[in-house]
């Protein structure tokens, strides 16, 4: 089965060039200015852009155990619609992914039912309770790409040091959700002027920064590879910059919502803006954007965090934290950053494809001869309006719902199979 | 004064939705209501047939009573919903509670809730006008209106007045609404308290002054308002003891001297005598604390009258 994609502007070796792409089964067989070979199916991508399939190293598929929020089928379908061909699932499911059996269960379900490839991230500590080291080496044999207690943060510094030593022993990257529980307290939104105005308890940026500082020092002493999830504050970036300048193996990601929104988005008590870390000040947002441009921030990750409608349809301080990410990711970033000239399309695509793939050693994120046939086709002028009816995720908790966006993914191909078509 | 204001079916989430002129109009209406409260038969038929629900999901006897009296005096029917005796403690969501109440034909809700933003939700679910009777630390617009009315009635105008509010600013919804309303009417407000009880960026958000020293804060004040200091803040690690708090921030004969002579003394209640305010001040001739309570009923009558379109 051969597919030929003709006349598209392809993200190839870091630039957009007009190329034809020939797919044979699950691999890219050829990329040339013009391919005349006969294929079983020809797609005319004239006027459209072709990106490597997006790679998300931070998502919550909620499967097993919380399938009322999302499951592997709906989660990966939503991912495919958003242009993703590989997503990494965080381990805070029920049961927690802290053993090889659960790793294999998720991988098998994803292989059988998924609309994109799913890589599993195992827990740092058993039950993500922050008490005992999980069986990370066994989970690594089962295929995990990293460990994280995401959603939770190991508070005990001694234990975290041992976890990182142990992870370093097996060369497993450690992803942290940086949050000092005492400093964050019962905080609901960023400790800034909107928290003062709304009378909501605040999560000060220092709750995140102090753990990042601690874990950078632990990374230095344990030689573990440290990846900071969803970095959100300007000071946190200073700490990461210092670490990188010293040559430490420290990397970080930023979410689409922290790049496009600030604390002001919470002013109408919209629980779809409630997330951790919280949307911070405009100054923080601008600093994140600069850091993404300069490469200080390595990549973009959605932190896709679906929650059922009735869970979010509550008083602000009673609703859970989290933003639904897959379907709005590219369009929100394209509309608010690229189309307005704040970010190049090349850097956006790199930060959603090759950069995250490289970071966790996943073979994905590039269009080249012999690579897996993972790609998505985008109509940059295409209008996007997410609604409760057209979203494929089970959950609808995105601040972009019913808002006009631009940059439509018209098709997604994963391992040569069409997984989404608009 | 022009009467071209339309209050019909409007919400009172906070005072930022109301212009200075509209606030002054509410004050005038309150004056009229206050007169009714002084009559022997304190009732007018203007809201006959309307139903007001006091939806109190956080305990507050006095504010609820004030709303209920206000509604009764305008002849509205009043039903009361309280968390302790309600379905909410059985796990019903606010949405379902409001759907249920609404089905019974409520015309207006007065809500007290510990969660900021909950009045907006009640309006969203009910489609009816909602008066915020206090939502967490966010806002308490009827308290602010009665505070403003109390000053306005005594002094005539808030323009150019210096008002100082002392105490637990961090946890006070009263302060936040007062800052909005008093500023609209031209007063300069200074907030004062220890740094641990002061939210960040107050100057930027409210255009007020922030002082940590009581003497400096009280200088030239025309009105001084004390706030309730709660013992639980001590266990939250925000201050070491009530004794030490009192030593630095109490309103007493000695400290009130730093304000203008005859400055008005106010307190939204309930008071902790001996903690944030001494009886010698609370009960002095400068104090209008008890009048504030009386004015509370009149302010709420005025709002109900204006919003539900009572016939004058």
């Amino acid at each position: 089965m051969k597919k030929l994609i003709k006349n598209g502007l392809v993200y190839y070796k870091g630039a957009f060039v007009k190329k034809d792409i020939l797919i044979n089964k699950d691999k890219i067989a050829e990329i040339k200015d013009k391919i005349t070979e006969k294929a079983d199916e020809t797609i005319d991508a004239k006027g459209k852009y072709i990106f490597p399939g997006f790679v998300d190293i931070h998502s919550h598929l909620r499967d097993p155990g919380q399938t009322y929020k999302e499951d592997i089928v709906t989660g990966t379908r939503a991912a495919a619609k958003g242009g993703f061909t590989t997503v990494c699932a965080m381990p805070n499911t029920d049961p927690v992914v802290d053993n090889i059996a659960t790793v294999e269960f998720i991988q098998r379900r994803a292989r059988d039912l998924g609309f994109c490839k799913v890589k599993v991230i195992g827990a740092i500590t058993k039950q993500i309770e922050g008490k005992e080291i999980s069986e990370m080496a066994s989970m690594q044999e089962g295929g995990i790409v990293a460990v994280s207690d995401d959603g939770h943060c190991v508070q005990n510094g001694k234990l975290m040091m041992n976890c990182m030593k142990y992870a370093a022993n097996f060369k497993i990257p450690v992803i942290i959700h940086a949050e000092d529980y005492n400093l964050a307290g019962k905080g609901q939104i960023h400790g800034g002027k909107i928290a003062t105005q709304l009378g909501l308890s605040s999560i000060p940026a220092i709750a995140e920064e102090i753990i990042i500082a601690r874990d950078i020092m632990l990374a230095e002493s344990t030689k573990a590879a440290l990846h900071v999830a969803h970095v959100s504050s300007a000071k946190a970036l200073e700490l990461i910059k210092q670490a990188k300048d010293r040559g430490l193996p420290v990397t970080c990601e930023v979410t689409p919502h922290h790049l496009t929104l600030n604390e002001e988005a919470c002013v109408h008590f919209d629980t779809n803006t409630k997330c951790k870390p919280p949307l911070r000040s405009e100054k923080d947002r601008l600093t994140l954007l600069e850091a993404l441009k300069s490469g200080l921030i390595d990549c973009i990750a959605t932190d896709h965090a679906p929650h059922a409608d009735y869970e979010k349809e509550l008083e602000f301080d009673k609703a859970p934290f989290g933003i639904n990410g897959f379907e709005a990711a590219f369009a929100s970033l394209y509309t608010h950053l690229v189309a307005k000239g704040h970010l190049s399309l090349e850097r956006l695509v790199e930060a959603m494809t090759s950069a995250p793939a490289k970071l966790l050693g996943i073979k994905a994120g590039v269009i080249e001869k012999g690579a897996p046939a993972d790609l998505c086709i985008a109509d940059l002028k295409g209008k996007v309006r997410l609604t409760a009816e057209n979203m494929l995720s089970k959950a609808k908790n995105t601040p972009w719902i019913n808002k006009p966006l631009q940059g439509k993914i018209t098709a997604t191909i994963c391992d040569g199979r069409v997984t989404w078509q608009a | 004064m022009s009467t071209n204001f339309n209050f019909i079916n409007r919400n009172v989430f906070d005072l930022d939705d109301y212009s200075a002129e509209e606030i002054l109009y509410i004050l005038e209406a309150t004056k009229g209501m206050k007169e009714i409260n002084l009559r022997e038969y304190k009732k007018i038929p203007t809201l006959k047939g309307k139903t007001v629900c006091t939806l109190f999901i956080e305990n507050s006897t006095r504010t609820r009573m004030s709303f209920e009296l206000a509604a009764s005096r305008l002849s509205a029917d009043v039903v009361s919903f309280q968390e302790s005796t309600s379905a909410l403690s059985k796990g019903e969501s606010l949405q379902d509670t409001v759907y249920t109440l609404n089905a019974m034909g409520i015309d207006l809700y007065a809500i007290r809730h510990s969660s900021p933003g909950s009045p907006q939700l009640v309006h969203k679910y009910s489609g009816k006008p909602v008066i915020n009777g206090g939502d967490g630390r966010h806002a308490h617009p009827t308290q602010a209106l009665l505070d403003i009315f109390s000053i306005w009635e005594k002094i005539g105008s808030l323009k150019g007045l210096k008002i100082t509010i002392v105490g637990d600013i961090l946890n006070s919804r009263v302060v936040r609404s007062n800052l909005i309303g008093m500023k609209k009417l031209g007063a300069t407000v200074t907030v004062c308290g220890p740094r641990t009880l002061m939210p960040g960026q107050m100057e930027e958000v409210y255009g007020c002054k922030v002082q940590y020293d009581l003497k400096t804060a009280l200088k030239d004040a025309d009105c001084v308002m004390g706030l309730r200091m709660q013992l639980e803040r001590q266990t939250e690690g925000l201050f070491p003891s009530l004794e030490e708090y009192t030593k630095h921030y109490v309103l007493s004969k000695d400290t009130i001297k730093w304000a203008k002579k005859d400055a008005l003394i106010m307190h939204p209640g309930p008071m902790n005598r001996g903690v944030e305010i001494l009886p010698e001040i609370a009960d002095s001739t400068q104090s209008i604390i008890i009048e504030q309570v009386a004015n509370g009923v009149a302010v709420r009558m005025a709002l109900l009258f204006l919003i539900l379109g009572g016939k004058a």
Side-chain angles (χ1 to χ4, degrees), chain B residues 239-297:
Chain B
F239 73 104
S241 67
L242 290 176
E243 289 77 8
E244 189 157 308
Y245 176 81
T246 302
K247 200 169 154 193
H248 289 90
Y249 294 102
V250 74
L251 300 178
S252 68
K253 251 184 191 164
D254 289 337
T255 59
I256 211 71
K257 277 184 202 147
W258 297 326
K260 268 191 194 156
K261 192 172 174 285
D262 299 327
L264 297 179
I265 310 291
M266 306 172 70
H267 194 295
M271 275 187 286
N272 281 321
R273 286 173 183 263
V275 177
E276 70 265 5
I277 191 164
L278 296 188
E280 63 196 26
I281 285 302
D283 304 331
S284 70
T285 51
Q286 284 171 266
S287 165
I288 57 166
I289 294 170
I290 292 301
E291 280 168 76
Q292 285 175 268
V293 180
N295 293 339
V297 178

Side-chain angles (χ1 to χ4, degrees), chain A residues 1 3-6 23 41-45 48 76-85 115 327 375-379 383 390 392 408-414 416-422:
Chain A
M1 181 75 182
K3 281 192 186 76
L4 180 60
I5 305 171
K6 287 187 72 72
I23 295 170
E41 186 188 348
T42 302
I43 299 168
D44 186 8
K48 299 208 173 84
T76 56
R77 275 186 79 200
K81 186 183 166 196
F84 293 89
T85 51
F115 287 75
E327 289 168 80
L375 47 87
C376 62
I377 304 174
D379 171 6
K383 296 203 182 331
N390 70 23
L392 296 181
K408 185 175 189 160
I409 305 296
T410 58
T412 305
I413 293 172
C414 179
R417 182 168 69 110
V418 177
T419 49
W420 163 253
Q421 204 153 19

Side-chain angles (χ1 to χ4, degrees), chain B residues 218-234:
Chain B
L218 290 181
K219 192 172 184 310
D220 298 329
D222 299 287
C223 303
V224 180
M225 188 188 298
L227 297 174
R228 180 174 172 79
M229 186 62 206
Q230 280 172 305
L231 189 59
E232 68 200 61
R233 310 295 169 219
Q234 186 177 319

Side-chain angles (χ1 to χ4, degrees), chain A residues 97 103 107 120-123 136 139-147 172:
Chain A
V97 186
V103 173
Q107 286 172 342
V120 178
I121 294 170
M136 14 179 125
M139 288 195 286
Q140 187 183 33
E141 285 168 29
I144 61 164
V145 291
V147 287
I172 304 171

Side-chain angles (χ1 to χ4, degrees), chain B residues 144-160:
Chain B
L145 283 171
L146 76 88
D147 292 337
I148 288 167
F149 177 82
S150 303
I151 298 168
W152 178 79
E153 194 186 33
K154 290 282 171 199
I155 301 180
S157 163
L158 272 72
K159 204 163 239 155

Side-chain angles (χ1 to χ4, degrees), chain A residues 209-229:
Chain A
E209 293 148 5
I210 216 158
I211 294 291
I212 293 175
R214 180 195 75 174
D215 289 356
I216 285 172
M217 297 187 78
L218 290 176
E220 184 165 26
S221 105
T222 61
K223 311 273 189 293
L226 177 71
H227 177 71
V228 180

Side-chain angles (χ1 to χ4, degrees), chain A residues 73-307:
Chain A
V73 178
T74 57
T76 56
R77 275 186 79 200
K81 186 183 166 196
F84 293 89
T85 51
T86 304
V87 302
C88 298
M90 282 295 180
N92 58 338
T93 47
D94 183 14
V96 169
V97 186
D98 60 1
N99 62 81
I100 186 170
T102 315
V103 173
E104 288 176 341
F105 170 81
I106 294 170
Q107 286 172 342
R108 194 167 54 244
R109 265 178 73 76
R111 218 167 27 238
D112 293 349
L113 306 167
F115 287 75
C116 69
K117 287 174 268 193
V118 175
K119 300 285 179 187
V120 178
I121 294 170
I124 299 175
T125 65
K126 286 175 193 157
Q127 300 295 317
I128 48 177
E129 279 180 347
K131 287 180 185 158
E132 290 177 27
I133 306 177
S134 69
E135 293 178 346
M136 14 179 125
S138 310
M139 288 195 286
Q140 187 183 33
E141 285 168 29
I144 61 164
V145 291
V147 287
S148 178
D149 273 5
D150 186 60
H152 293 71
C153 178
V154 178
Q155 301 293 295
N156 180 327
K158 175 81 187 272
L159 175 68
M160 191 59 179
M161 186 164 75
N162 284 332
C163 290
M164 288 172 77
K165 262 189 200 167
Y166 196 79
N169 193 67
F170 296 96
K171 296 194 166 46
I172 304 171
V174 176
I175 302 177
I176 57 159
H177 164 116
E179 180 184 358
D180 180 300
Y181 289 172
N182 287 309
L183 285 168
K186 289 182 183 146
Q188 302 293 319
I189 62 170
H190 171 60
K193 58 182 187 181
I194 303 300
T196 292
Q197 186 184 328
L198 299 184
L200 285 166
S201 310
S202 64
I203 305 173
I206 201 168
E208 175 180 351
E209 293 148 5
I210 216 158
I211 294 291
I212 293 175
R214 180 195 75 174
D215 289 356
I216 285 172
M217 297 187 78
L218 290 176
E220 184 165 26
S221 105
T222 61
K223 311 273 189 293
L226 177 71
H227 177 71
V228 180
H230 44 50
V231 63
S232 73
S233 90
K235 268 238 170 64
L237 287 170
E238 269 178 43
L239 295 165
I240 292 164
K241 180 165 194 310
Q242 287 165 14
K244 285 191 167 191
D245 288 349
R246 293 215 307 280
L248 299 178
V250 174
T251 52
C252 66
E253 72 192 29
V254 64
T255 71
H257 44 275
H258 287 106
L259 283 170
T260 51
L261 299 167
N262 61 32
E263 57 183 336
E264 307 265 354
C266 305
V267 81
H268 299 296
F269 299 100
D270 177 3
T271 55
N272 286 339
T273 64
K274 181 175 172 179
C275 58
K276 265 190 182 174
L279 300 172
R280 300 212 187 270
S281 71
E282 178 63 0
K283 178 174 164 275
D284 289 313
R285 188 188 74 84
L286 293 172
T287 312
L288 290 169
L289 180 57
E290 284 312 307
L292 176 68
K293 286 202 255 187
S294 74
L296 172 57
I297 291 177
D298 298 86
C299 67
I300 293 168
T302 68
D303 192 5
H304 176 74
H307 290 294

